[in-house]
Amino acid sequence: MTLATTTSSRELLRHVYEQMVLIRMFETEAERQYKAARIGGYCHVSSGQEAAIVGAMHALEDDDVLVTGYRCHGFALARGVSTEAVMAELFGRRHGCAHGRGGSMHLLDVERGFFGGWGIVAGQLPVATGLALALVRQGKPQAVLCELGDGAVNMGAWHESLNLAALWSLPVVFLVINNEYGMGTSVERASAEPELHKRACAFRMHSERVDGDDFDAVAESTGRLVRRAREDRKPAVLEAMTYRYRGHSVADAGLSYRTRDEINAWRDRDPIALLRARLLEQGVSEEELAVLERDVDKRVDAAVAYATADEPPPVEELAAGMYAPGSAEQFKRMRPGSPYGELDLVFDAGLGR
């Protein structure tokens, strides 16, 4: 989402603050709903990483392409996907942004250039690289922003994707959200080179590291590198240093591998609190910010009400989109290999399947 160039600094920061507060409140509510068993599967929240998310999204043009990993709620919201559509997807409802078939880790909105939400670690990198190649082949001027976590840089897909992106001069920026832990393992224990952006040198690719809790720094660096990708067809790696306050997923307390002192030290420079203080310095009143925060809280509550009232997708539509139209003949020979030769998807409530 790109703001108009005439937007004043204070108006811009107020909008940024609203987005960051929305992500924080949404994630807090998502965790609550998960623990109430209204959200199934896995659920990974990004509380603490809001400046990196909103800063990166601010740098994209409306027609640029976004691909992310599974910690994607904030990216969807900052890209403009409605709170109702995101919450409904978490609830597995028909009017979720993936029609209830994706869930928390597989959000997407193709109309907004958001191609997921990928649940396999580093699985999004080849997809993003392929999308960048498609842009080049079709002569389109857009660029691709591919978000990944620090754990993904140790996967083979990282090396393969960066190699091809550099070799073919593809317009893709790989944004590494380094929150210091891949699940429960610190970067220092998992990576021989803990400054992850330096790995790009193996592919002769430009790379940088930025303070991921500083909106301005993230927006500037992302904007510059994405612009370079658009105009010069040059890939790059941007490592944003930030922190997640919660565990790896909602099922992880996040305390067995790190201390409360460490978490509190990061909370002392909370990106939302820092931006709030900055707005107050610029003359925005406490009351104005309080009204904004209450309005955001109401939006999140409304999203929960919408998702709760929405219907689940029909069972017969759960496999829709698995195969392209007209491909029945191509896959016909595979049908005899299914366990019982079944052709229809059924749901047996008695067996819990």
Side-chain angles (χ1 to χ4, degrees), residues 46-201:
S46 55
S47 302
Q49 301 179 183
E50 294 86 0
I53 295 169
V54 178
M57 292 301 92
H58 175 66
L60 295 187
E61 297 291 343
D62 289 339
D63 59 354
D64 284 329
V65 176
L66 171 67
V67 187
T68 74
Y70 48 75
R71 200 181 300 275
C72 56
H73 308 163
F75 285 97
L77 293 170
R79 189 62 173 165
V81 185
S82 72
T83 52
E84 291 83 2
V86 178
M87 190 66 78
E89 188 58 41
L90 268 59
F91 275 52
R93 304 301 190 185
R94 187 172 192 174
H95 294 96
C97 57
H99 308 295
R101 299 197 292 265
S104 169
M105 297 195 294
H106 307 100
L107 304 176
L108 82 160
D109 191 326
V110 175
E111 290 185 2
R112 289 178 171 80
F114 178 33
F115 287 81
W118 290 79
I120 297 174
V121 176
Q124 72 273 30
L125 275 76
V127 174
T129 304
L131 287 166
L133 176 60
L135 293 177
V136 171
R137 291 283 184 87
Q138 296 169 17
K140 295 182 177 180
Q142 298 100 305
V144 178
L145 181 69
C146 177
E147 180 270 340
L148 59 140
D150 48 81
V153 303
N154 290 323
M155 305 297 287
W158 158 270
H159 302 282
E160 296 166 2
S161 299
L162 265 67
N163 184 61
L164 289 179
L167 195 62
W168 295 340
S169 298
L170 300 181
V172 54
V173 175
F174 298 98
L175 173 64
V176 182
I177 301 293
N178 185 347
N179 57 30
E180 301 209 347
Y181 290 92
M183 293 191 72
T185 304
S186 68
V187 171
E188 287 73 16
R189 293 184 62 190
S191 298
E193 174 49 84
E195 294 187 48
L196 303 179
H197 69 285
K198 290 183 177 179
R199 295 185 176 204
C201 71

Side-chain angles (χ1 to χ4, degrees), residues 212-279:
D213 290 341
D214 184 332
F215 165 80
D216 291 309
V218 176
E220 187 282 326
S221 54
T222 308
R224 175 167 38 80
L225 295 181
V226 170
R227 206 161 40 244
R228 177 175 174 268
R230 284 194 213 105
E231 298 171 1
D232 302 328
R233 293 304 199 227
K234 296 290 187 182
V237 170
L238 177 63
E239 180 185 9
M241 302 300 299
T242 183
Y243 198 78
R244 55 171 168 83
Y245 298 149
R246 312 302 294 168
H248 172 70
S249 70
V250 175
D252 169 27
L255 295 173
S256 62
Y257 50 85
R258 57 186 187 172
T259 65
R260 290 190 182 277
D261 287 343
E262 177 183 308
I263 298 170
N264 290 334
W266 278 92
R267 283 187 178 275
D268 287 341
R269 59 187 307 270
D270 182 282
I272 294 179
L274 292 174
L275 186 55
R276 196 178 198 281
R278 187 172 164 190
L279 283 166

